[in-house]
Amino acid sequence: MELPEKFCDEMKRILGEEYDAYLASMEETRKFGLRVNTAKISTGEFERIAPFPIKKIPYIENGYYYDSEVQPAKHPYYFAGLYYLQDPSAMTPASRLPVEKGDVVLDLCAAPGGKATELAAKLQGTGLLIANDISSKRAKALLKNIELFGVENSFIVTEYPKKLKEYFTGFFDKILIDAPCSGEGMFRKEPSMIKAWEQNGPEFYAGLQEEIIKQALPMLKPGGMLLYSTCTFSPLEDEGTVEKILELDADMELVGMKGYEGFESGRPELIGSHREELLHCVRIFPHKLDGEGHFLALFRKKGEVAEGAGDIRQKRSGLKGEEKKLFEAFAANLNRQFEPERLECKNGMLYYMPSQLPNMKGLRFLRSGLFLGEMKKNRFEPSQSLAMALKKEDYKNCLRLSVSDERTLRYLKGETLSLTEEESGLVDGWLLVCVEDYPLGWGKKNAAVLKNKYHSGWRLQ
């Protein structure tokens, strides 16, 4: 790997006598990681059923290494949303933002969803997650991962931070800014980023980061917490941007994070600063930990939250007439309740809206809440996202396929399935198809045949 001379000179300044160890690490094979979706399965249960060798990532509670020869993205458990494939060090930011049940959370630069899905898992179906990315193309990948993880309390937005500030000033309990950066920490994983670095280096991204944080800081409630992270080593983008945050808002204070022996403290001297609080930042180097490069800083906004702040609830239209009748006919097989006042039908498309979602008129978005399905002539057709949000016990009519049943992969490929004599005894109509106890999608049963309703865009190739 040929690294730019200017980058190497800066890394020598940062690392000193450790520079050779860093260079040696760049020649090593990168580590592969997955993060368990704890909204669907516990880590203990995943360890019990893991279909390939895994090893615990010591600094991520629900993170595991796996061998590069394994293809976890082709396993049925991946299609069931049980885990997300992610670089080990990239799991750190969402793991260190202390999200609690009921929080209102913003992931400002969220695509493709690695951090947003972990924030959602921490919420456990409560509160609200607003996940934003200015690129509508990238946001589509974000939406798929949100749906795959079974998230139902999200709002997927494609706006510039300036626009969001107009709607959400003082609204969020927690904010994650995994900022656009020069990507120096990812050179080993994605060598193509070296060329991008040469075109737009740290100076360009530091300016972009400053503009983002100027819009983000007013959106945080007093008493709220913000985590800023990058995947670069550049002091200008790391400690430099952190110092800008402290200068822009006197109420922002750095706090320590749960550490690990491979973590290094921030380096105020690299930017000529005398702020000792910059030592609370965390630097991750590939020669110190099994992962790529990362930087993290956790802030708390001074003050206390005003009573009722951010608790804005919009009344929804609910269901009436034929729409209500069709959904209730389908819902007769559900073992869970959807609050009627949170149901909203738009052009025949039915959504279950987050309870704390404010007025969103004028915002560009891909999805609000959980897409439940579509009203067709004389029937309601449930969505793929609804299947992923359900647990096996939430639906009365389930087809449980074992992970070793060849029909499981055939289902994921979109094929029609033949049912056994015992399975033929299930009621005709919609079946929730599961691998073991974890939903994959829908099928429609007629006697001994299951017509495949698995989402065509998600099928196994």
Side-chain angles (χ1 to χ4, degrees):
M1 183 181 298
E2 190 171 340
L3 298 170
E5 183 178 354
K6 184 178 178 182
F7 167 73
C8 292
D9 289 342
E10 180 68 347
M11 291 301 288
K12 288 175 186 176
R13 181 176 82 92
I14 294 170
L15 293 172
E17 61 184 22
E18 293 182 16
Y19 177 69
D20 288 340
Y22 164 73
L23 282 186
S25 74
M26 297 296 281
E27 300 302 320
E28 296 173 0
T29 303
R30 76 177 187 89
K31 300 297 181 181
F32 294 83
L34 64 83
R35 194 193 71 249
V36 171
N37 180 4
T38 52
K40 285 182 177 280
I41 186 172
S42 68
T43 54
E45 179 62 15
F46 183 76
E47 289 173 7
R48 188 185 71 80
I49 69 169
F52 42 79
I54 55 174
K55 180 183 176 182
K56 194 81 178 64
I57 298 174
Y59 54 98
I60 304 293
E61 289 183 0
N62 55 334
Y64 297 85
Y65 298 111
Y66 66 89
D67 293 335
S68 59
E69 296 79 16
V70 175
Q71 292 185 302
K74 292 187 177 295
H75 195 277
Y77 289 158
Y78 176 82
F79 289 83
L82 299 192
Y83 52 82
Y84 186 94
L85 304 182
Q86 191 173 26
D87 173 73
S89 62
M91 299 179 193
T92 316
S95 77
R96 263 50 181 188
L97 183 61
V99 170
E100 300 173 352
K101 288 183 180 180
D103 277 348
V104 180
V105 182
L106 171 65
D107 186 348
L108 190 56
C109 311
K115 297 169 180 69
T117 47
E118 172 63 8
L119 299 176
K122 286 185 170 187
L123 286 172
Q124 293 287 314
T126 67
L128 172 66
L129 171 67
I130 296 183
N132 176 72
D133 202 279
I134 60 172
S135 167
S136 57
K137 182 178 179 181
R138 283 170 52 84
K140 288 177 182 176
L142 165 65
L143 174 59
K144 179 185 175 181
N145 284 317
I146 287 286
E147 290 184 326
L148 185 64
F149 259 48
V151 180
E152 59 183 77
N153 57 327
S154 66
F155 182 42
I156 311 301
V157 196
T158 58
E159 282 290 0
Y160 286 93
K162 184 178 180 180
K163 181 81 173 205
L164 293 178
K165 187 180 73 169
E166 296 174 11
Y167 285 75
F168 299 116
T169 296
F171 186 72
F172 295 102
D173 299 295
K174 309 286 163 60
I175 296 178
L176 176 65
I177 305 175
D178 187 45
C181 69
S182 57
E184 296 169 352
M186 294 291 132
F187 283 177
R188 179 173 66 176
K189 179 184 175 186
E190 299 179 39
S192 61
M193 295 192 73
I194 296 174
K195 186 175 181 180
W197 184 92
E198 292 172 330
Q199 294 172 341
N200 290 310
E203 293 79 9
F204 170 82
Y205 284 103
L208 183 59
Q209 291 154 7
E210 183 173 1
E211 288 305 307
I212 290 172
I213 62 176
K214 282 179 179 178
Q215 311 307 324
L217 293 178
M219 291 191 275
L220 187 64
K221 291 178 184 177
M225 302 193 79
L226 180 150
L227 192 138
Y228 171 81
S229 66
T230 72
C231 57
T232 196
F233 303 122
S234 163
L236 186 64
E237 301 174 70
D238 293 343
E239 288 89 351
T241 299
V242 168
E243 188 161 62
K244 286 176 186 173
I245 292 173
L246 296 171
E247 292 170 352
L248 285 167
D249 190 337
D251 287 333
M252 297 296 286
E253 58 181 357
L254 278 164
V255 296
M257 287 171 275
K258 182 180 178 182
Y260 180 68
E261 61 181 332
F263 290 178
E264 291 206 356
S265 300
R267 303 270 300 279
E269 72 276 10
L270 293 175
I271 58 168
S273 174
H274 298 288
R275 290 181 182 266
E276 290 190 5
E277 61 262 47
L278 292 178
L279 294 170
H280 286 310
C281 301
V282 169
R283 282 181 166 273
I284 298 176
F285 292 101
H287 66 284
K288 292 280 192 176
L289 283 179
D290 287 333
E292 306 306 303
H294 235 83
F295 173 89
L296 303 88
L298 181 62
F299 297 84
R300 181 184 179 276
K301 192 169 190 176
K302 298 174 186 176
E304 300 298 327
V305 182
E307 189 174 347
D311 189 12
I312 304 171
R313 298 172 187 266
Q314 296 290 311
K315 292 183 179 179
R316 305 298 169 188
S317 57
L319 294 181
K320 299 176 183 178
E322 186 68 11
E323 291 174 346
K324 186 172 186 288
K325 178 182 176 183
L326 293 178
F327 181 67
E328 286 180 348
F330 168 79
N333 278 321
L334 285 171
N335 289 323
R336 65 162 286 185
Q337 297 293 317
F338 289 98
E339 299 172 29
E341 65 273 16
R342 290 173 56 189
L343 294 172
E344 187 163 274
C345 200
K346 307 172 187 176
N347 301 317
M349 314 293 273
L350 182 60
Y351 299 88
Y352 191 53
M353 306 293 279
S355 62
Q356 291 171 271
L357 187 64
N359 183 6
M360 58 190 181
K361 188 176 181 181
L363 286 176
R364 294 179 301 181
F365 65 94
L366 291 185
R367 181 61 48 80
S368 53
L370 174 64
F371 174 47
L372 295 175
E374 189 173 359
M375 301 292 176
K376 297 289 185 74
K377 186 177 180 181
N378 299 323
R379 70 186 189 280
F380 171 79
E381 288 206 354
S383 69
Q384 178 69 36
S385 51
L386 172 59
M388 302 310 295
L390 295 175
K391 294 180 170 57
K392 179 177 177 288
E393 57 269 22
D394 288 338
Y395 196 71
K396 297 174 184 176
N397 214 21
C398 290
L399 175 63
R400 185 182 187 275
L401 301 175
S402 74
V403 71
S404 58
D405 190 327
E406 53 90 20
R407 293 178 301 168
T408 303
L409 293 180
R410 287 178 51 213
Y411 172 76
L412 293 172
K413 292 177 180 179
E415 298 177 16
T416 298
L417 302 185
S418 296
L419 303 178
T420 65
E421 183 177 348
E422 182 180 355
E423 293 164 348
S424 298
L426 293 168
V427 178
D428 281 358
W430 291 105
L431 292 186
L432 182 63
V433 181
C434 302
V435 54
E436 305 298 345
D437 293 327
Y438 305 101
L440 292 172
W442 299 104
K444 205 159 189 184
K445 177 184 175 295
N446 183 9
V449 175
L450 184 77
K451 185 177 181 181
N452 200 311
K453 294 290 184 177
Y454 188 64
H455 192 294
S456 59
W458 291 21
R459 289 176 183 171
L460 177 63
Q461 303 298 317

